[in-house]
Amino acid sequence: MNDRTAKSTAETPIRLLIVDDHPVVRDGLSSMFASAPGFEVVGEAADGAAALRLAKRLQPDVILMDLRMPGMDGLTAITELTRLGVTARVLVLTTYDNDTHVLPAIEAGATGYLLKDSPREDLLRGARAAARGEPVLSPSVAARLMNRVKTPAPQLLSQRELEVLELVAAGNTNREVAARLFITEATVKSHLLNIYAKLGVGDRAAAVAEAFNRRLLTPR
Amino acid sequence: MNDRTAKSTAETPIRLLIVDDHPVVRDGLSSMFASAPGFEVVGEAADGAAALRLAKRLQPDVILMDLRMPGMDGLTAITELTRLGVTARVLVLTTYDNDTHVLPAIEAGATGYLLKDSPREDLLRGARAAARGEPVLSPSVAARLMNRVKTPAPQLLSQRELEVLELVAAGNTNREVAARLFITEATVKSHLLNIYAKLGVGDRAAAVAEAFNRRLLTPR
DNA sequence: GTGGCGATCCACCGATCGGTGGATCGCCAC
DNA sequence: GTGGCGATCCACCGATCGGTGGATCGCCAC
């Protein structure tokens, strides 16, 4: 809460909050960054709840966040930070390069991740990149992200069926779809029944959801 | 179609297909990669249609693909390659670091992109990474990808409304939703009407689609 | 503690949807 | 050129959905 004016150096230092349940890790990271130029460690926390409190009060630029912690874990903390609109960039700290845990953190709002046992230079560079808002990702995680947006385009539905489904997703009634496609309402229903069979669903709402799941429809 | 056996070197070279409508660019890239160890340029094409034909016949490991071309453009060609199940990794070649054109290419199935005027070493490294299936992305494009999967979580719908919508998206009728939530069908409808009003839609199918668009529901 | 607001809950009714049972057309393999 | 298959097209009917018009409850600000 104390008013600090640290613009003596040419560049304002990057304010760090370190969150890890192991004191040894906290101390190690803290001393590493404290001794590096351009960084200032403004706080440490041992679990997600403490991290949330400190983040709100200290307004750090970058939060180094462990995922596995007692009490509120890192993923929940990141979700909360995002929900609260905290602007700090979150760098996830992982022990191993375990993608499956990292991806949900990215989706929750993390800017990237670092391995705890990365070389000192990598940690400093990653934190600086995060402070600039740049992602810090390994190729394997980046590849997983790409797969999430790639359209497999399995051509499961015919072109006409996809047209019908898109119009239904846009809120058109069967009659409106028919008018737009210059066919009768009965034909629209027939297409819809084929769509239901192909997608394994029983109504239009489930068909739309399944189409998004299968990337047949993509969020705009 | 000629049977080639190029396993004289310790490692099989990376087979490249170069696609660009400018002969100068093709020649430049071709000679650059031909003179580099570990690469073999197996073909060149001047537009998307030719690229498709050659890709199917030559089965290259990596395709260097320009986006702006007369006739079939690069984006369409990438979409077709993905649809046809061609296993070649596609590296998009861009003149400028214009993210907006690159992202759709990534979504269509490209492994990454390179700037045409990148240093020789970057081009070689990028092509090798692509051959291994690793993404080749600049931080700005990676950041855009991340934003696509991040959940803004605007808490637009109440918890109960989201529950109802999820059950509707799963194909439940109003009566089934009511039974699962231990409320009456009338209450389910009331929730749905509130959902429609909040999302600005008029029926359940459009509500599901809009929820995916706003990341209130996410593909599984 | 009172007002206001959103979330949650409920009943009745016309419009729409999904189910059943078909027909025609074009394309590809044999 | 014939068979088979999927895409596209169509009519009738019971079940479900969305629209209208409400009531109650809990929470927060004043």
Side-chain angles (χ1 to χ4, degrees), chain B residues 33 197 209:
Chain B
F33 279 100

Side-chain angles (χ1 to χ4, degrees), chain A residues 47-56 59 63 65 67 69 71-88 90 104-110, chain B residues 151-155 159:
Chain A
D47 63 34
L52 281 179
R53 282 195 303 276
L54 286 177
K56 277 186 282 192
Q59 297 285 326
I63 303 176
M65 176 84 74
L67 283 185
M69 290 182 292
M72 183 188 289
D73 68 5
L75 182 58
T76 309
I78 294 168
T79 306
E80 278 303 295
L81 285 170
T82 303
R83 200 177 63 76
L84 293 169
V86 173
T87 56
V90 177
I106 300 289
E107 288 174 24
Chain B
T151 56
Q155 197 65 15
Q159 189 55 41

Side-chain angles (χ1 to χ4, degrees), chain B residues 144-164:
Chain B
R144 279 170 158 263
L145 274 177
M146 288 170 63
N147 282 334
R148 281 202 139 262
V149 301
K150 280 184 187 174
T151 56
Q155 197 65 15
L156 176 64
L157 301 181
S158 72
Q159 189 55 41
R160 196 63 159 176
E161 286 165 349
L162 194 59
E163 274 183 281
V164 170

